[in-house]
Amino acid sequence: MHEVVINLYEVFHKIQGYIYPNDIELHWSILIVLYPYITGLVAGAFILASLERVFDVTQVKPTYKLSLLTALSFLLVATIPLNLHLTQPQRAFEIFATPHLTSAMAVFGFVYIWYLMVVLLLEIWFEYRKDFVIWSQEKKGILKLFYKILSLGCDNISENALKLDDKIGKFITIIGIPSAILLHGYVGFIFGSIKANPWWSSSLMPVIFIFSAMVSGIALVMLIYMVISWVRKMPIDMICLDTIGKYLLYAFIIDFSLESLDLIHRLYEADESFSVLALLMSGKLYITLFIIQICIGTLTPIILLGLLQLIKINSGIKKSIYLISSLLTLLGIFAMRWNVVVGGQLFSKSLKGFTSYKLEFIGKEGLFISAIILLFPVLILTILLCILPAWDKKNSA
């Protein structure tokens, strides 16, 4: 009886107003926040790589290989949060055995495999094929065999062969751009198509997710490039960094404009859900939405990046500003994912009450496991960079 009283107290303590029983517990936790966050980093990193290969933005060439390896590292981890969230994760493979094209999640499975196996791995292979052949000749022992296997027996590195590799790689990148957009845009599509939830039901949701993905991916590659350069004690290419910062600013402005347009549309429409959404934004989501996402994670990086375009600053201060901007950007995009996934579950479908979400530290869906998941792609990227260096020989330590 005592335990029942405690459980009832905990339930009533976390709700406000009138709320339906099935809305008390949040069905999607921080793991579902990590999923769109990680896939967004993948799409954004790949799009940054496409600037050099497809759009001939040669200034970002120092980060081209790094962008590809970053996208691959995070893509390999992208489905882990989803599988951990499932009660029976082994059943996830049924979307391939018994495909249903009317299911958005099933379609994602095929998009994921297409993007991983056909687009990303193939582009990396064509980019490194010449290196594989050279390394298989220079290295000794197991490394020699390893690179020989990676070359797949294609040891022709003549000028014509390399030109063909470049053409095929460029073609794959062109295909990869809409694939990357589809990979992450479908996440916004899933949320936007849930008409029963007014916080998610917006036709702009897929577009907002795509541009926020570009912002987060570009910021991530910028951060990793600066950290790697510092670890290797190599000079940072300021032209490259300035160009990345410029495109990050452009993507940020578009992303913020779209989010503002979505908010203005909600304010103008002011349907029956407006009052509860207004209470949500001014109450439970005030800190994560207005303080962290908008003020710290959006306006501050935009102002800092904008000042760098208008004012001449020495490279030392400029590097610090880029570092701070990238960190704040990643924090802001994570807050955006949090506000969408968690925030959309904090109010009841009765539109007259709220529930609460307590993030646990330990547990399958706790903060500790989530932090480990975010460290996985960093570890994978470190291993990949040891095997597949993303810098020129002349810059090798």
Side-chain angles (χ1 to χ4, degrees):
M1 183 66 181
H2 180 67
E3 294 180 356
V4 174
V5 173
I6 293 177
N7 290 334
L8 286 175
Y9 173 78
E10 291 178 352
V11 170
F12 287 117
H13 180 71
K14 68 187 296 185
I15 65 174
Q16 301 174 14
Y18 177 75
I19 187 169
Y20 292 140
N22 60 329
D23 291 330
I24 295 176
E25 295 293 335
L26 271 65
H27 302 289
W28 290 350
S29 66
I30 188 173
L31 291 180
I32 308 302
V33 177
L34 287 181
Y35 166 63
Y37 184 65
I38 293 175
T39 55
L41 296 174
V42 173
F46 184 86
I47 290 173
L48 177 60
S50 69
L51 290 178
E52 193 276 332
R53 176 57 72 90
V54 178
F55 301 102
D56 295 326
V57 183
T58 56
Q59 294 89 337
V60 300
K61 188 174 183 179
T63 62
Y64 171 66
K65 292 181 179 180
L66 180 62
S67 299
L68 292 179
L69 295 179
T70 300
L72 176 61
S73 301
F74 280 83
L75 185 63
L76 293 174
V77 182
T79 57
I80 292 180
L82 286 180
N83 284 297
L84 284 179
H85 180 73
L86 295 175
T87 304
Q88 299 184 31
Q90 74 280 358
R91 296 186 62 183
F93 296 101
E94 292 188 12
I95 65 175
F96 302 107
T98 57
H100 294 277
L101 297 181
T102 56
S103 168
M105 290 303 297
V107 171
F108 163 74
F110 292 100
V111 173
Y112 177 84
I113 294 298
W114 161 265
Y115 188 70
L116 174 63
M117 302 299 295
V118 178
V119 176
L120 204 50
L121 288 180
L122 273 181
E123 181 167 354
I124 291 175
W125 187 81
F126 278 106
E127 179 63 28
Y128 277 93
R129 193 183 71 82
K130 176 184 176 182
D131 295 320
F132 290 154
V133 175
I134 295 175
W135 292 335
S136 66
Q137 297 171 355
E138 295 178 347
K139 303 295 182 180
K140 296 180 180 180
I142 192 169
L143 283 178
K144 180 181 181 69
L145 177 62
F146 177 72
Y147 289 121
K148 186 70 175 178
I149 294 173
L150 288 181
S151 67
L152 301 179
C154 301
D155 57 357
N156 183 2
I157 54 174
S158 63
E159 184 178 351
N160 291 333
L162 294 179
K163 285 183 179 179
L164 180 61
D165 288 349
D166 184 67
K167 290 180 180 179
I168 296 175
K170 186 173 182 178
F171 176 74
I172 294 173
T173 306
I174 294 173
I175 296 176
I177 294 174
S179 299
I181 293 175
L182 181 61
L183 177 73
H184 189 67
Y186 110 96
V187 181
F189 168 80
I190 289 180
F191 286 105
S193 61
I194 301 179
K195 298 179 181 179
N197 193 312
W199 184 249
W200 296 338
S201 182
S202 170
S203 57
L204 284 175
M205 191 66 73
V207 185
I208 291 174
F209 266 66
I210 290 170
F211 277 96
S212 62
M214 294 182 189
V215 170
S216 62
I218 294 173
L220 177 66
V221 175
M222 174 189 286
L223 176 63
I224 293 175
Y225 174 63
M226 295 182 69
V227 171
I228 289 178
S229 298
W230 176 76
V231 171
R232 298 181 62 245
K233 298 180 179 179
M234 297 299 298
I236 294 176
D237 188 331
M238 290 308 300
I239 296 178
C240 173
L241 202 61
D242 289 336
T243 305
I244 295 176
K246 181 174 65 175
Y247 281 100
L248 175 60
L249 176 62
Y250 295 162
F252 228 145
I253 292 175
I254 297 175
D255 176 47
F256 184 60
S257 300
L258 289 172
E259 292 188 36
S260 300
L261 178 62
D262 181 55
L263 179 60
I264 293 171
H265 179 264
R266 293 176 188 274
L267 292 173
Y268 181 79
E269 188 177 25
D271 58 9
E272 67 277 2
S273 65
F274 177 76
S275 59
V276 71
L277 294 182
L279 289 173
L280 178 68
M281 290 185 289
S282 61
K284 291 181 176 293
L285 292 185
Y286 179 77
I287 294 179
T288 57
L289 179 61
F290 289 103
I291 304 299
I292 299 179
Q293 178 184 338
I294 296 178
C295 293
I296 298 177
T298 301
L299 293 179
T300 302
I302 287 178
I303 293 173
L304 290 176
L305 294 170
L307 288 175
L308 293 180
Q309 303 299 319
L310 300 174
I311 303 174
K312 292 185 178 180
I313 304 176
N314 67 71
S315 59
I317 298 177
K318 189 179 289 188
K319 292 175 187 176
S320 300
I321 293 177
Y322 280 134
L323 181 64
I324 294 172
S325 299
S326 60
L327 289 172
L328 293 181
T329 299
L330 292 173
L331 174 63
I333 299 300
F334 182 84
M336 181 266 186
R337 302 293 190 259
W338 175 278
N339 293 326
V340 170
V341 176
V342 175
Q345 302 174 83
L346 291 179
F347 64 93
S348 174
K349 293 180 179 61
S350 66
L351 302 181
K352 295 181 180 180
F354 299 93
T355 186
S356 300
Y357 174 61
K358 181 180 179 181
L359 177 60
E360 300 178 353
F361 182 76
I362 302 295
K364 187 179 72 171
E365 302 192 25
L367 181 61
F368 181 72
I369 295 298
S370 301
I372 292 178
I373 292 175
L374 284 177
L375 287 176
F376 273 168
V378 178
L379 177 61
I380 294 173
L381 179 60
T382 303
I383 296 173
L384 286 177
L385 288 174
C386 293
I387 300 173
L388 309 174
W391 41 82
D392 297 332
K393 279 188 176 183
K394 62 181 180 180
N395 293 329
S396 298

